[in-house]
Each structure stands twice: as structure tokens, then as C-alpha cells.
Amino acid sequence: MSLTTFSRERAVAHVGRDADLPSKITVPYLLEKKSLQRPITAVTAYDYASARLVDEVGLDVVLVGDSLAMVMQGHENTLAVTMDEMLVYTRGVRRALRRALLIADMPFGSYQADENLGVANAVRFVKESGAEAVKLEGGRERKDLVRRIVDAEIPVMGHIGLTPQSVHRMGGYKVQGKTMEAIDELRTDARALEDAGCFALVLEGVPRELARIVTEELDIPTIGIGAGPDCDGQILVLHDMMTMTFSPPAKFVRRYADVGGVMREALEEYRRDVEARTFPSDAESYHLSREMRELMAVAAEVR
Ligand code: KIV
């Protein structure tokens, strides 16, 4: 048991202070932000507590990314996480959010082999976990699928550039769009996804010059990760920015806090306290009432 009930007042207290901010982030609002040239703020989250912090702080978008396969489950890449597992994490995040837009990432294998399955899985995210949109990786080869999911009334965010589900084809996590041919391909993919109905595009691991061109060419917002500052918004993996990972970060990661370091120190102190029997103290213990203590003393004497 842990006391972590939801107080709606507290949740909206922060964002409510700014009259300009809407009380609920929607897909049309993200498009409006692009036209107003106001940056879109996004981050990944995979659990109730961290998603609640993200929401209370007032970020626009929470993505339950398939990066959870790596940072939550310890896999080497994103490929192993299943649809059912993604649904479990997304439900926890759903319970935490009141304002931010909740986007669920379609995991590897949930849409590549069969478009019907892709549409059915997108529906599962909305119906079974409360996601408000889905994200999927790939370029123009996904346009029919995107169209069909959008026709099913589910907003789709595309994801091009460095697409982690293609790690084996790419031969590792490498910056994409560096040759003339690759630049043309990426621009074509971006336009195809916009035409198919995507409401936004993640641009991952591409040169900032290319991200800028794509951002200018599209009416829908681009959300960059390792794509420079000229995108319409930015997203980071929460564990990267909080130093909850165990290897040197990629170039584009900014460490905003050393949560891992703080937890390590706290855990070491806890271990020392338990071993020295200084935790819990008397003040941290429950007590019988004075009457009960006296009754027990009498009972002990009688025995
Ligand atoms: O899975 C993920 O976290 C992502 C973001 C990096 C965009 O796809």
C-alpha cells in the first residue's frame, strides 16, 4: 500500500495559473501551436507516478514509447515488447493524466505484417487503454495503413529518420538523411505521411538542416529527438533526461537531473539505517494505547 490518491485541484493548479493554456491538450491544439509557432513539449512516460508529474508540470504530450522495452524492461532494443505489455503500461499512464495528450506507440510486429491487424491494434490502444492517438514508424510504405487508422477515427503520429524498430536493417542506431538520396527519400516520406493523414511527425536522428526543411515543408508539426532546434516541438525519453540509464547518453540528450544518483544515495542510506537498526525509529512505529499496554502488563502478571 502507498498513499497516492489523485487530487484534481492540485493537478490543475499549476497549469491553471496561465490563462493562455488550455485545460486539455488535443490534436487540433497541437496543429494550432504550429501555426502560432509555439513549441510543442513532449516526453515519454511509462508509469503512473512519472506521468502524473509530467501532467502536473503542464507538458503537452506524453508518449508511452516502445523505448520502454529498453528503459523499463532491460531489453537491448525496442523489438521485444508486445501489444499486451504496451497496453498495461499505457493504462497506468492513462490514470495519471488529466491534461496532456496521451499517445501510445505501436510496438514492432503489431502493424508491419498485416494492415488489418494494425488497425485492430490501434483500436485496442484507444478502447483498452484510453490512448488518444497512436504512433507508428516508417515512411511512405505506411501511408495506406495510416489512412485506414485515421478512417477508424484514431489520430496517427508518424515517425521517420532513425526508426529504432529498423535497427537490424540500419545496422545500428545511426543518424539518417545524410546523403542527397536519403534527404530526398525522407522528404518524400514526410509528405506522404502528411497526405495520408498523420497529425504530427517524429523526426529522430537526422541533421538539423534536414529537420528544418521538413518542418518548413509540412503543415503538420514535427517533433524532434536528435533533430535539432528547428522542429515544431521536442521529445526526450524520460529516463535519458533524468539519468535513469546505465550507459553514456546520445549526443542529443540533455541531462536535466540525476535522479539515478539521488536514488542510489537514498538506497545506500536506507541500507545503512536498516543494518544499524536506526530505521524505523520509535516515532515511525505504531503503538498500543496506554490502556492496552496496562491490560497486557496485568495479563502477563496473571500468566
Ligand atoms: O519509443 C520512444 O520513446 C520513441 C521516442 C523516442 C520518440 O519513439
Side-chain angles (χ1 to χ4, degrees):
M1 181 212 65
S2 170
L3 301 176
T4 178
T5 50
F6 192 85
S7 147
R8 184 169 167 73
E9 292 66 38
R10 255 198 81 222
V12 293
H14 178 89
V15 293
R17 260 184 262 134
D18 186 339
D20 263 5
L21 294 173
S23 57
K24 176 73 188 91
I25 304 299
T26 61
V27 164
Y29 176 70
L30 297 185
L31 289 152
E32 192 185 322
K33 271 197 125 176
K34 173 160 180 139
S35 63
L36 296 172
Q37 298 186 326
R38 291 177 66 177
I40 295 166
T41 54
V43 75
T44 68
Y46 319 98
D47 69 296
Y48 175 84
S50 54
R52 198 168 142 174
L53 289 170
V54 174
D55 199 54
E56 291 186 10
V57 163
L59 271 72
D60 295 319
V61 172
V62 172
L63 170 72
V64 182
D66 63 354
S67 49
L68 72 81
M70 300 168 86
V71 299
M72 297 294 286
Q73 299 182 326
H75 291 291
E76 287 231 326
N77 54 47
T78 61
L79 304 179
V81 65
T82 66
M83 221 10 244
D84 286 338
E85 289 169 334
M86 289 297 297
L87 285 166
V88 170
Y89 289 97
T90 309
R91 284 184 201 118
V93 170
R94 174 69 284 161
R95 290 180 204 114
L97 301 188
R98 291 296 178 273
R99 179 177 178 276
L101 185 78
L102 172 55
I103 306 179
D105 212 358
M106 300 201 58
F108 180 65
S110 70
Y111 61 95
Q112 285 89 347
D114 178 346
E115 276 182 15
N116 288 333
L117 183 64
V119 179
N121 280 328
V123 170
R124 283 192 78 192
F125 269 124
V126 174
K127 215 172 174 66
E128 297 179 35
S129 72
E132 294 161 299
V134 296
K135 175 173 87 58
L136 51 83
E137 297 183 9
R140 51 194 179 276
E141 70 281 11
R142 302 277 177 252
K143 66 182 175 15
D144 292 340
L145 174 61
V146 169
R147 221 168 254 137
R148 288 191 56 191
I149 298 176
V150 173
D151 282 349
E153 311 301 343
I154 299 170
V156 180
M157 178 186 249
H159 182 163
I160 54 175
L162 193 169
T163 45
Q165 291 177 12
S166 321
V167 59
H168 296 315
R169 178 177 56 71
M170 294 183 305
Y173 299 118
K174 296 178 180 159
V175 175
Q176 304 292 301
K178 297 213 289 196
T179 64
M180 213 49 185
E181 194 191 343
I183 291 170
D184 286 345
E185 298 258 314
L186 200 118
R187 290 170 72 186
T188 307
D189 284 341
R191 276 193 297 263
L193 291 166
E194 175 171 75
D195 290 347
C198 280
F199 74 89
L201 270 194
V202 168
L203 298 181
E204 179 166 358
V206 296
R208 76 173 277 189
E209 296 80 5
L210 175 56
R212 186 190 174 141
I213 291 169
V214 172
T215 300
E216 283 171 359
E217 283 178 346
L218 299 184
D219 290 329
I220 58 172
T222 58
I223 314 288
I225 173 161
D230 305 310
C231 297
D232 297 304
Q234 297 291 330
I235 185 163
L236 279 176
V237 169
L238 189 77
H239 288 59
D240 285 342
M241 65 187 286
M242 297 300 175
T243 321
M244 294 279 287
T245 50
F246 298 87
S247 43
K251 177 182 184 172
F252 61 81
V253 170
R254 187 178 293 178
R255 303 287 209 191
Y256 281 87
D258 184 8
V259 174
V262 169
M263 283 182 73
R264 197 181 286 276
E265 271 176 33
L267 289 165
E268 276 166 3
E269 191 177 339
Y270 170 68
R271 193 198 62 215
R272 281 195 299 274
D273 285 353
V274 171
E275 286 173 357
R277 295 191 186 285
T278 58
F279 176 83
S281 66
D282 189 55
E284 288 159 333
S285 306
Y286 296 108
H287 292 97
L288 287 171
S289 65
R290 184 199 301 244
E291 295 74 36
M292 273 305 291
R293 285 203 302 271
E294 283 169 7
L295 272 175
M296 287 185 68
V298 173
E301 267 171 35
V302 171
R303 245 188 272 123

